[in-house]
Amino acid sequence: MKVAVLKETQPRERRVALVPDSVQRLVKAGHAVVVEAGAGVAAGFPDATYTAAGATLAADAVGTLAGADVVAMVQKPTAVQAAQLAAGQVLVAMLQPAQSADLFATLAQRQVTALALERVPRITRAQSMDVLSSQATVAGYKAVLLGATALPRFLPMLTTAAGNITPAKAFVLGAGVAGLQAIATARRLGAVVSAFDVRAAAREQVQSLGAKFVASDLVSAGAETAGGYAKEQGQDEQARTLAAIGAAIPEMDLVISTAAIPGKPAPRLVTEAMLATMKPGSVIVDVSAETGGNCEVTKPGETVEVHGVTVLGPLNLPSLAPYHASQMFSRNVLTLLQHLAPKDQPLTIDLTDEITGAMTVVHAGQVR
C-alpha cells in the first residue's frame, strides 16, 4: 500500500494527518509513504523527520498523489485538491458530510472512495480510530486556557501578602470528551468547577473529576443515542434546561460551552438575557462555535462583548496545539489504515464491515 500525506491548505489548519512515528510504523510494515514537502512543519515536524522515518518527500501535491492508494488528510480537500485525486484512490479525512454535497459529487465522478473520519462508529474496537474524541480532548484543554487568558482575574485561590484571592467559578456545559477535559483543566488551574449535561452517564463522570453536577433532576436515561451522544431535546425539555442554566450562570466567572449534536446545529443553551445576569468581566468560550454556537450572541471566529460579558467563538481549537493534536490524530489514522490493510493483506474496502461501511461516504462512483 502506498500512502500519500498532503499538506493542509484550509484556513487555520496547522495539523498534519500522519506524524513521523506513524510513518515509521507503516514503513516497517512494508508500506510506502510519500509526504508533500512542508506538510508537517506547522505542527512541529520538519521534513527531515519524515525522511528519517522512511518517507519519501514530494515537491507538490501532484507528485505526492502519483500512484498513491490512500490519501491521508486532516481537513477535506479543496476543489483543486479534489480534482487532482485519481480513480481508485481512497481518501481518508474529516469530510464534514453534512456540508460536502458538492465535494462528494466530485469524488464520485472521479471514482474516488472517501472515508469520513467523523463517522467512526462508537464501538469498542473502533475507539482507537475516533478522531472526534481525540481532537475534542485538545479543544477542551485549549478552551479553558483561552478563557483563563481573557478573564480579568485569577482562576485559583491565592494567599498573598496583599490578602487572599478567592478562586474563580467555572461552569462547563456538556460533559462529553471536550467538556470532561475542560473540567479537568479548570480544576488543575484551581477553579471551582460545576458542569451540566442531560445524559445520565455524565453525572458520575463529572463528579469523578471533582466538579459539582448541576440540575441532576434533568438527567434522563433517554437523553443519549446508542453511540453516547446527546439527543435533540423537545420543547419542554429545552425550557427546563434553559431554566436550570439560567439559574446557575449568574454566579459563574468562566463558562465553557461544549454541547453538540452530531450532524445538527449546536443547541442554544445561553441566551442574551442570561448574559445580562452575569457578572461584568465574565467570559464565555463557545467551543461549539463552528456549528453555530451554544450561546445566542456567539460569532464564529470572533470575540464579542455583550452586557459586559466577553464571548469567544474560537474555530479549530485543536489546531492551536498542533503538535500533540497531530500525534493523536495520526494514531487514529494509523489504526484505521491497519484495519483497512491488515498485516500482509492488500487494502480492502469492505462495505459489510461495521467500521469501514459506516465511514464510507463515496464508493464506486456513488455517494452513499
Side-chain angles (χ1 to χ4, degrees), residues 88-136:
Q89 290 183 326
V90 177
L91 172 66
V92 173
M94 292 194 296
L95 297 175
Q96 302 173 15
Q99 298 105 29
S100 300
D102 290 345
L103 171 64
F104 289 177
T106 298
L107 296 177
Q109 184 179 31
R110 298 189 67 79
Q111 297 291 315
V112 172
T113 293
L115 275 66
L117 290 169
E118 300 97 326
R119 292 175 62 108
V120 171
R122 285 203 158 182
I123 57 177
T124 301
R125 71 190 189 99
Q127 284 181 341
S128 56
M129 309 174 199
D130 187 357
V131 299
L132 291 183
S133 292
S134 73
Q135 302 308 291

Side-chain angles (χ1 to χ4, degrees), residues 24-84:
Q24 186 176 48
R25 290 171 182 266
L26 287 169
V27 171
K28 283 185 176 180
H31 306 296
V33 182
V34 182
V35 179
E36 185 175 359
V41 171
F45 302 99
D47 288 345
T49 61
Y50 283 100
T51 55
T56 301
L57 292 179
D60 54 24
V62 173
T64 305
L65 292 170
D69 300 299
V70 177
V71 180
M73 300 184 68
V74 176
Q75 300 282 1
K76 63 183 181 182
T78 62
V80 172
Q81 289 172 322
Q84 295 170 331

Side-chain angles (χ1 to χ4, degrees), residues 157-182:
M157 178 179 69
L158 296 176
T159 300
T160 75
N164 294 331
I165 303 295
T166 57
K169 293 182 178 180
F171 189 30
V172 178
L173 299 176
V177 177
L180 292 173
Q181 185 58 232

Side-chain angles (χ1 to χ4, degrees), residues 4-368:
V5 181
L6 287 183
K7 185 176 181 179
E8 301 293 321
T9 59
Q10 297 283 9
R12 303 183 186 87
E13 188 52 72
R14 299 170 63 201
R15 292 169 291 177
V16 63
L18 286 173
V19 301
D21 179 69
S22 296
V23 168
Q24 186 176 48
R25 290 171 182 266
L26 287 169
V27 171
K28 283 185 176 180
H31 306 296
V33 182
V34 182
V35 179
E36 185 175 359
V41 171
F45 302 99
D47 288 345
T49 61
Y50 283 100
T51 55
T56 301
L57 292 179
D60 54 24
V62 173
T64 305
L65 292 170
D69 300 299
V70 177
V71 180
M73 300 184 68
V74 176
Q75 300 282 1
K76 63 183 181 182
T78 62
V80 172
Q81 289 172 322
Q84 295 170 331
L85 297 174
Q89 290 183 326
V90 177
L91 172 66
V92 173
M94 292 194 296
L95 297 175
Q96 302 173 15
Q99 298 105 29
S100 300
D102 290 345
L103 171 64
F104 289 177
T106 298
L107 296 177
Q109 184 179 31
R110 298 189 67 79
Q111 297 291 315
V112 172
T113 293
L115 275 66
L117 290 169
E118 300 97 326
R119 292 175 62 108
V120 171
R122 285 203 158 182
I123 57 177
T124 301
R125 71 190 189 99
Q127 284 181 341
S128 56
M129 309 174 199
D130 187 357
V131 299
L132 291 183
S133 292
S134 73
Q135 302 308 291
T137 298
V138 186
Y141 170 79
K142 290 300 292 187
V144 175
L145 299 188
L146 290 178
T149 300
L151 272 175
R153 58 170 299 155
F154 291 123
L155 280 183
M157 178 179 69
L158 296 176
T159 300
T160 75
N164 294 331
I165 303 295
T166 57
K169 293 182 178 180
F171 189 30
V172 178
L173 299 176
V177 177
L180 292 173
Q181 185 58 232
I183 291 169
T185 303
R187 287 271 296 154
R188 283 194 294 267
L189 290 176
V192 176
V193 185
S194 302
F196 174 85
D197 199 294
V198 296
R199 296 171 302 118
R203 175 167 49 197
E204 183 177 347
Q205 293 168 332
V206 166
Q207 293 171 341
S208 71
L209 291 172
K212 176 184 176 183
F213 193 80
V214 173
S216 295
D217 57 311
L218 295 182
V219 165
S220 169
E224 62 182 301
T225 66
Y229 293 105
K231 288 182 179 178
E232 191 170 11
Q233 292 185 312
Q235 289 187 347
D236 290 344
E237 293 172 317
Q238 288 177 354
R240 292 198 299 273
T241 293
L242 290 177
I245 294 171
I249 209 168
E251 301 180 15
M252 305 302 167
D253 302 294
L254 173 62
V255 176
I256 308 292
S257 65
T258 71
I261 301 172
K264 295 186 178 182
R268 288 295 168 85
L269 301 177
V270 180
T271 64
E272 182 175 346
M274 290 181 194
L275 301 187
T277 70
M278 296 180 72
K279 293 176 282 189
S282 300
V283 172
I284 295 175
V285 181
D286 197 338
V287 177
S288 297
E290 292 191 53
T291 53
N294 296 139
C295 181
E296 187 176 7
V297 305
T298 295
K299 292 187 178 180
E302 299 182 25
T303 297
V304 298
E305 186 174 318
V306 179
H307 300 304
V309 178
T310 301
V311 181
L312 287 70
L315 299 176
N316 199 354
L317 276 169
S319 220
L320 297 181
Y323 184 88
H324 283 123
S326 295
Q327 278 191 340
M328 297 166 75
F329 191 99
S330 179
R331 288 167 187 161
N332 297 146
V333 172
L334 172 64
T335 308
L336 174 61
L337 295 179
Q338 291 169 335
H339 174 72
L340 297 175
K343 187 176 181 180
D344 299 326
Q345 295 184 35
L347 173 68
T348 302
I349 302 300
D350 180 5
L351 298 182
T352 65
D353 177 76
E354 60 183 337
I355 296 174
T356 308
M359 297 178 65
T360 304
V361 292
V362 180
H363 183 64
Q366 298 293 322
V367 178
R368 302 179 72 243

